[in-house]
Amino acid sequence: MSAKSEPAKEGDVLETKGSFEYPDTESSTGKDGLPSPRAAAVFRKMDFIVLPVVTLIYFISSLDRSNIGNARIAGLQKQLHMTDTQYSIALTATLIPYTLIDVPSNLLIKAVGPRWMVPTMVILWGLTCTLQGVVHNYAGLIVARLFLGLFEGGLLPAISLYLSSFYPRRHLQLRIAIMFSATSLASAFSGLLAAAIINMDNVGGRPGWAWVFILEGLFTILFGVSAFWLLPNTPTTSPFFTLEEKEVIRQTLELDGITETDKKDESFTKENFLQTFLQPHVILIMVIGFMNGSTLSGLALFLPSIVASLGYKGTHAQLMSVPPFAVSAVLSVITAFLADRFARRGLTIFFFAVVATAGFAVFYASFVNHVRYGALFLLVPGTYCIGPPLGTWMANNSAPFIRRATALALLPVATNLGSILSTWLLGTISPAPRYRSATITLLVFQIAIAFCAVLNVAWLSRENRRKARERAAAGAGERSVVGAGNDSIWFHYVL
């Protein structure tokens, strides 16, 4: 591939578009690789237009997906006469379609458009969540969980792709962290909300756990309808930006090798789709995703049960599951700001893997319930705070659009496969209160995550050095941003 067909590296501004001129001091990308103050102001405005909607969508998704854990300790398992094995099967039933739908749904978004596809998904899974509140037996719950996975499965890759098409690479992790903090907040809020809703026991002849599903599902449907008007399809089609602001956005994104979802893209080919599966950094991030997904899903679904096994009962157990998730949300946003500023995704993942390792080690070694509860403040944030840099790392280093769409879909495939493992590991194989086999397995996973993060940084650093040598040999030339992909010598990998 010649230098003339390659995209520019971060910081290069070589052309004038339309009537807007971008010299170095006013360019959309500054000398340090970060967007200039002019562009940064535009993207801060975007934060008020796009980010609240996407974050709330992911919040209710996390709430609807994991509220079965709260319903379980509120009487679901007992009233439907389910064994622990059947409960694990019900969780697995969600994850199978959840995994299978990721890649096709993310490729479909190019044709349908996020403005139509995402709200439709929200409405359909909200309806399914509501219907879980009227099931009378185990079979009905299994059917509901299958459809929940089918309608909700493509959401995370879709909104990750959506945000990565709206923000430059060095602005992305903070936004994904804010969105992903919804998972922590949903897990925390789920306990508070469930503690209140289960007091509706016998209202309308329904048990308290049924109202958890019904009320949360109805809210999801209402918000899904409003999202048709709240979500812009692309940054440059939003009515809230001026023409000059739209040009700044377009210029900044193109310089970073990012195309909008509604633009014609000649690189949207079968060859680029298949090439994604062979990228070493994609494979390593998928391995990390499998192990982190297993841990993350296990905590989302079983933390209320884990807390209950430490001596807390009923509503108290629901409430005591809140603080570790709240700490996770705060730490995730703080570290994302630093990771964006210094462009260090791998270091963030390594740090939190070490924190989670310490937490699981304490949880395994101690026999004192208060100490084991304290360990949750290490292992929960250590697990949850890996998600944002992981998804951002995948998006940052995958181009063109079809590779990014595929890579961002493959990551949830890996995490969902890990989730299937955790439903059995914590649900059936490892009984409370020690969770011995699960704790050992997840402890080993955290060590492996740290190792894979170091290995990926080493690989990407090696590739950047190789590209630097080839750029020096190629000399100056036209550097077209879009189309060549992350194989280009002008594409600088984010570490």
Side-chain angles (χ1 to χ4, degrees):
M1 186 177 290
S2 69
K4 290 187 177 182
S5 64
E6 306 292 336
K9 63 181 179 180
E10 294 177 342
D12 287 334
V13 182
L14 301 174
E15 53 188 317
T16 301
K17 301 278 187 175
S19 60
F20 297 95
E21 208 169 307
Y22 296 98
D24 256 15
T25 56
E26 285 294 313
S27 72
S28 48
T29 306
K31 292 180 180 179
D32 59 357
L34 288 166
S36 69
R38 179 185 184 184
V42 176
F43 285 103
R44 282 194 297 271
K45 180 178 178 180
M46 188 179 291
D47 289 340
F48 292 97
I49 297 170
V50 172
L51 203 54
V53 183
V54 172
T55 301
L56 190 51
I57 287 174
Y58 197 54
F59 173 84
I60 59 179
S61 164
S62 302
L63 199 65
D64 292 345
R65 187 173 64 253
S66 60
N67 56 14
I68 190 172
N70 302 107
R72 182 192 191 192
I73 64 174
L76 165 72
Q77 184 172 347
K78 182 178 180 180
Q79 291 189 22
L80 295 187
H81 308 291
M82 296 162 54
T83 65
D84 287 345
T85 299
Q86 289 176 318
Y87 179 74
S88 293
I89 292 173
L91 299 181
T92 305
T94 306
L95 295 169
I96 292 173
Y98 208 93
T99 302
L100 296 176
I101 200 66
D102 284 334
V103 173
S105 68
N106 237 30
L107 297 179
L108 184 62
I109 203 170
K110 179 80 173 176
V112 177
R115 182 186 176 187
W116 296 104
M117 187 166 174
V118 173
T120 300
M121 292 166 61
V122 175
I123 293 169
L124 290 175
W125 96 60
L127 177 61
T128 306
C129 180
T130 304
L131 293 176
Q132 286 180 108
V134 299
V135 299
H136 296 285
N137 53 44
Y138 173 63
L141 181 65
I142 290 292
V143 172
R145 299 298 294 183
L146 281 168
F147 278 99
L148 184 68
L150 178 66
F151 296 139
E152 192 180 354
L155 180 73
L156 178 57
I159 58 178
S160 297
L161 180 64
Y162 182 75
L163 288 178
S164 70
S165 300
F166 273 67
Y167 289 96
R169 294 192 293 165
R170 291 288 294 272
H171 271 196
L172 187 58
Q173 185 174 328
L174 178 60
R175 277 70 184 187
I176 286 185
I178 291 171
M179 179 201 78
F180 202 81
S181 67
T183 304
S184 304
L185 293 175
S187 298
F189 186 67
S190 181
L192 294 171
L193 191 60
I197 293 177
I198 58 178
N199 290 321
M200 295 179 65
D201 192 40
N202 289 325
V203 173
R206 301 247 163 240
W209 61 261
W211 283 109
V212 171
F213 291 129
I214 293 169
L215 294 182
E216 292 178 8
L218 288 175
F219 176 79
T220 300
I221 294 171
L222 292 175
F223 188 77
V225 172
S226 68
F228 282 114
W229 288 272
L230 295 173
L231 274 183
N233 213 38
T234 68
T236 56
T237 58
S238 172
F240 301 104
F241 293 112
T242 66
L243 289 176
E244 183 174 352
E245 287 171 336
K246 290 179 180 180
E247 182 64 17
V248 170
I249 293 169
R250 186 190 61 76
Q251 185 75 253
T252 304
L253 294 179
E254 285 192 3
L255 287 170
D256 222 10
I258 298 169
T259 56
E260 297 184 78
T261 54
D262 64 345
K263 301 297 184 185
K264 184 178 180 181
D265 186 359
E266 293 181 358
S267 63
F268 201 86
T269 63
K270 179 181 178 181
E271 289 73 19
N272 268 323
F273 168 73
L274 295 175
Q275 185 64 30
T276 311
F277 293 81
L278 304 177
Q279 304 270 291
H281 65 279
V282 171
I283 295 170
L284 281 169
I285 292 176
M286 285 181 65
V287 172
I288 296 175
F290 172 83
M291 294 182 288
N292 181 249
S294 182
T295 316
L296 188 67
S297 179
L299 293 175
L301 294 171
F302 289 96
L303 194 66
S305 299
I306 293 171
V307 171
S309 74
L310 298 178
Y312 303 99
K313 303 298 181 185
T315 302
H316 196 200
Q318 305 272 19
L319 296 176
M320 291 301 286
S321 68
V322 172
F325 290 119
V327 172
S328 301
V330 174
L331 282 179
S332 179
V333 173
I334 293 173
T335 54
F337 174 80
L338 296 173
D340 268 351
R341 181 66 183 83
F342 298 103
R344 291 293 181 267
R345 317 300 184 204
L347 180 62
T348 310
I349 292 170
F350 176 83
F351 171 76
F352 281 113
V354 172
V355 172
T357 299
F360 279 108
V362 172
F363 189 85
Y364 176 77
S366 178
F367 288 83
V368 180
N369 283 345
H370 292 304
V371 174
R372 301 182 82 207
Y373 178 75
L376 299 180
F377 287 87
L378 293 174
L379 64 90
V380 174
T383 298
Y384 271 74
C385 292
I386 287 174
L390 196 62
T392 307
W393 215 8
M394 188 73 97
N396 281 171
N397 294 328
S398 301
F401 179 87
I402 189 170
R403 286 193 191 175
R404 190 164 67 253
T406 306
L408 285 172
L410 289 175
L411 179 57
V413 168
T415 59
N416 291 335
L417 290 173
S419 298
I420 292 173
L421 171 63
S422 68
T423 61
W424 293 92
L425 196 58
L426 284 159
T428 304
I429 298 174
S430 299
R434 293 297 299 167
Y435 297 100
R436 181 183 176 88
S437 297
T439 305
I440 293 173
T441 302
L442 298 179
L443 173 61
V444 172
F445 279 1
Q446 309 319 304
I447 297 171
I449 287 171
F451 174 76
C452 287
V454 171
L455 189 61
N456 200 32
V457 169
W459 163 259
L460 295 174
S461 298
R462 177 176 176 271
E463 286 297 287
N464 282 341
R465 290 192 297 270
R466 176 186 63 79
K467 291 182 179 188
R469 291 193 299 269
E470 294 184 15
R471 285 195 300 269
E478 181 185 348
R479 302 169 184 178
S480 174
V481 173
V482 178
N486 57 272
D487 292 334
S488 164
I489 63 173
W490 303 109
F491 187 99
H492 184 81
Y493 286 117
V494 176
L495 304 181

